[in-house]
Amino acid sequence: MSAETNLANDDLDALEALESEAKEFNKDAEIDRILKAFRLDSYAVLDLQPGVPESDIKKTYRVKSLLIHPDKTSNPQAPEAFDRLKKAQTELLDEKARGRLDEAIADARMLLIRENKWTVDSPELKTEEFAKQWREKAKYVLIDNEQRRRRQVKAQMQEEGREQKKVDEEVEARKRKREHEQDWESTREQRIGSWREFQKGGEKKKKKKAKPLGLLDTQANIIAANYGAYSTTSYGAQGGADAGGFVPGYGSQGGSQDSPGKSYSKDTLRPVTIKQLIDAIPTHSEAEFKIDGSEVTQITFVGQIHTVTPQATNTTFKIDDGTGIIDVKQWIDVDQDPDTAKPLPQEGQYMRVYGRLKAFNDKRSVGAHVMRPVTDFNEISMHLLEATAVHLFFTRGPAYALKGVKNEDSGEGMFVGGNGAAGGAVGDMAAQQLPRNTSTGARRVFALLQAAPQNNEGLHVHNIAAQLSMPTNEVFKAGDELLGNGFIYTTVDDETWAVLEN
């Protein structure tokens, strides 16, 4: 009896040993599976299918964590496998993280369908082969997303580093400023004592510098004659520095009509933008540039100085007006007294430039006659408006000009409506009644309605569009503007208008 009992106990011990080995084998197998799973796919780490409910995620994690817990097994890789399992569960329980994972897996499925030219109803999508390909494609998409995320993080860290460097530089600059102020304050008594000693000894008289003679004087006189001082201009009054509007060296008013020289009447001062100067067309090497098909000689524009480059004979400024950047060269008057010379314009300062457009080796620049600082920033807006008005005059003709309606103004000025002549019968009628902020389209429609024979019916939208060669939608916009301001009214229908007489 005792022998049988001992045999039964030995069997139980052997069975327990086998069960223990089996459990340890299962633990090792599960640890190996987790470590081989694609770590960016939390579903693969937990051995779950996408879309499972949250309860299944928690249940699976609880079972597997108990199985591979480092305290329950002697496998040296158990801690790493347990960490991956914990991270996978945390990601799947995070709504945003799980949403990004589900989106990537769905993208992989659609990419696979497009590459094979299948449809969502294709039978191939139900096969085991498709599921295998889907898992591989999901790996590709997840890796691509991770690389993109890391690049973004790297760029963000670099930007934060630059910002921190900027902050550190500002702190360092403030520190140096404080140290300089402290040093300046600590040496105050020394400076005062030095000044008192200087006063006791008397001031030394300054010797007046002799002016250079010979060729230097000749060159200075030529530069002064051609370009004038800083605050004056050399164009006008046949080359003098007083008022006028012409440039020396281009013919003579008192000369013969057969003279080949250029007459002063062709020299004009035109407001422009730098983009217009860059796009200006030279007809040939000896001719002036043309802007909007019209020859220009003297130009003026307003811009901000980007850089200042002093040279031996001139100072070069890079000036930007928002439409482009161009070099502006101002010649130096070597004969000018330094004590009376005006200060050199500085970077960041807004300047009004008068000068002439030049080209050398296909590079354009402006030879400045006058550069003066802008003290009222309204001048910038005013200049741009003036340049726009002149551009429209040369490209579209005088204001209020209508197709089929003759403009009676015979003036040659840049602006129409204020240059002596009537400005056209239609233009006058529109200008007398419409406010300044009325759009061009509304002015044209209103002028046509006034010029048309007056009757109770008025003109239809399509007739207006045909006569003005305007798109119908633009006519409707103009009509809405005039109707809203009470200048016209609808007659037989909403698309037929007539002028509302005062």
Side-chain angles (χ1 to χ4, degrees):
M1 186 72 179
S2 175
E4 292 179 355
T5 302
N6 291 334
L7 181 61
N9 290 334
D10 290 343
D11 290 342
L12 288 174
D13 291 341
L15 183 61
E16 288 177 359
L18 289 174
E19 289 178 354
S20 176
E21 289 179 3
K23 288 181 180 179
E24 198 64 33
F25 176 79
N26 291 337
K27 292 177 181 180
D28 292 342
E30 183 62 20
I31 290 171
D32 186 60
R33 187 199 65 78
I34 292 174
L35 294 177
K36 289 181 178 179
F38 185 53
R39 66 170 60 192
L40 295 178
D41 186 355
S42 298
Y43 289 114
V45 175
L46 283 168
D47 198 18
L48 293 172
Q49 292 298 321
V52 296
E54 187 175 308
S55 59
D56 288 358
I57 297 172
K58 294 180 179 178
K59 181 179 178 181
T60 302
Y61 170 73
R62 187 164 53 251
V63 172
K64 292 184 180 297
S65 63
L66 290 174
L67 179 64
I68 67 167
H69 196 280
D71 295 340
K72 304 283 186 177
T73 178
S74 59
N75 193 316
Q77 294 181 315
E80 182 180 355
F82 187 80
D83 288 342
R84 291 193 186 184
L85 195 70
K86 179 64 178 176
K87 289 179 181 178
Q89 185 234 18
T90 303
E91 181 178 5
L92 292 181
L93 293 181
D94 187 314
E95 185 177 352
K96 292 184 178 179
R98 185 179 181 184
R100 290 192 295 268
L101 178 60
D102 290 341
E103 184 179 357
I105 294 174
D107 290 343
R109 183 173 184 271
M110 292 306 300
L111 284 172
L112 198 58
I113 291 173
R114 290 197 192 100
E115 289 174 0
N116 292 276
K117 299 181 180 179
W118 294 330
T119 65
V120 291
D121 298 325
S122 297
E124 290 84 358
L125 273 60
K126 300 178 182 179
T127 62
E128 185 64 28
E129 181 64 24
F130 175 77
K132 183 178 179 181
Q133 294 179 6
W134 185 5
R135 285 193 292 272
E136 293 300 320
K137 183 62 72 173
K139 290 181 182 180
Y140 168 79
V141 174
L142 288 169
I143 290 173
D144 185 66
N145 290 349
E146 179 65 15
Q147 289 175 343
R148 188 181 300 110
R149 184 191 69 80
R150 291 184 180 183
R151 287 194 296 268
Q152 291 175 350
V153 170
K154 184 178 179 181
Q156 183 178 358
M157 292 177 64
Q158 290 176 344
E159 181 63 26
E160 290 175 354
R162 285 192 291 267
E163 292 294 330
Q164 185 61 41
K165 183 179 179 181
K166 184 178 179 181
V167 171
D168 294 341
E169 289 176 351
E170 291 176 353
V171 171
E172 186 65 25
R174 289 196 294 269
K175 181 180 177 181
R176 288 196 301 267
K177 184 178 179 181
R178 285 196 301 270
E179 291 175 352
H180 175 73
E181 291 174 350
Q182 290 172 359
D183 292 342
W184 178 263
E185 188 65 26
S186 63
T187 58
R188 178 185 296 274
E189 293 298 329
Q190 181 181 353
R191 293 195 308 275
I192 294 175
S194 299
W195 173 248
R196 287 171 178 168
E197 291 294 330
F198 173 76
Q199 285 184 323
K200 290 178 181 178
E203 297 183 1
K204 296 181 179 180
K205 294 184 179 180
K206 294 182 179 180
K207 293 184 179 180
K208 188 175 181 180
K209 294 183 180 179
K211 293 185 178 180
L213 300 175
L215 181 60
L216 187 58
D217 272 348
T218 305
Q219 293 175 341
N221 292 334
I222 293 173
I223 293 174
N226 286 336
Y227 294 95
Y230 177 77
S231 60
T232 59
T233 176
S234 64
Y235 59 90
Q238 285 73 43
D242 47 2
F246 309 109
V247 177
Y250 287 88
S252 172
Q253 286 181 320
S256 170
Q257 292 182 352
D258 297 332
S259 172
K262 183 177 178 181
S263 66
Y264 284 102
S265 61
K266 296 185 70 175
D267 283 313
T268 59
L269 180 64
R270 175 167 175 179
V272 295
T273 63
I274 292 178
K275 184 178 186 302
Q276 287 180 301
L277 298 178
I278 296 172
D279 295 339
I281 301 173
T283 52
H284 54 83
S285 59
E286 299 297 329
E288 300 291 348
F289 288 88
K290 284 189 175 183
I291 298 178
D292 300 328
S294 176
E295 189 174 287
V296 293
T297 52
Q298 307 303 313
I299 51 92
T300 179
F301 61 91
V302 177
Q304 186 182 31
I305 298 176
H306 268 206
T307 59
V308 181
T309 308
Q311 298 176 0
T313 58
N314 66 79
T315 303
T316 302
F317 304 89
K318 281 191 179 295
I319 295 185
D320 180 7
D321 71 343
T323 67
I325 299 177
I326 197 168
D327 288 344
V328 176
K329 297 182 182 294
Q330 187 179 42
W331 296 98
I332 298 174
D333 184 1
V334 297
D335 197 36
Q336 189 175 22
D337 188 353
D339 294 334
T340 61
K342 292 194 175 182
L344 190 70
Q346 301 298 316
E347 294 180 5
Q349 192 173 8
Y350 283 87
M351 303 294 294
R352 162 74 74 171
V353 178
Y354 297 90
R356 195 182 197 92
L357 180 60
K358 299 180 179 181
F360 181 73
N361 288 339
D362 294 330
K363 184 177 181 180
R364 298 188 182 184
S365 63
V366 173
H369 304 314
V370 172
M371 291 181 65
R372 63 169 177 80
V374 174
T375 56
D376 185 352
F377 285 100
N378 290 322
E379 183 177 355
I380 301 173
S381 301
M382 185 61 191
H383 170 77
L384 293 175
L385 291 172
E386 188 178 11
T388 302
V390 176
H391 166 70
L392 292 175
F393 175 84
F394 283 109
T395 55
R396 299 188 182 181
Y400 310 122
L402 295 172
K403 183 179 179 181
V405 179
K406 184 179 180 182
N407 191 336
E408 300 296 336
D409 184 7
S410 58
E412 296 291 338
M414 284 186 180
F415 303 99
V416 177
N419 291 335
V426 175
D428 272 354
M429 289 188 291
Q432 290 172 1
Q433 299 186 28
L434 298 181
R436 289 181 178 271
N437 60 352
T438 305
S439 65
T440 304
R443 290 181 181 277
R444 294 182 64 193
V445 171
F446 186 72
L448 180 62
L449 290 173
Q450 283 189 318
Q454 299 298 308
N455 53 54
N456 293 330
E457 185 173 343
L459 287 178
H460 193 271
V461 169
H462 295 300
N463 292 337
I464 297 173
Q467 293 189 45
L468 296 179
S469 298
M470 286 177 64
T472 305
N473 62 329
E474 295 294 332
V475 177
F476 274 115
K477 289 181 182 179
D480 290 340
E481 182 178 350
L482 294 171
L483 286 167
N485 292 329
F487 293 111
I488 62 174
Y489 66 98
T490 58
T491 57
V492 295
D493 56 34
D494 290 340
E495 298 181 359
T496 306
W497 306 325
V499 175
L500 183 63
E501 297 181 358
N502 294 328

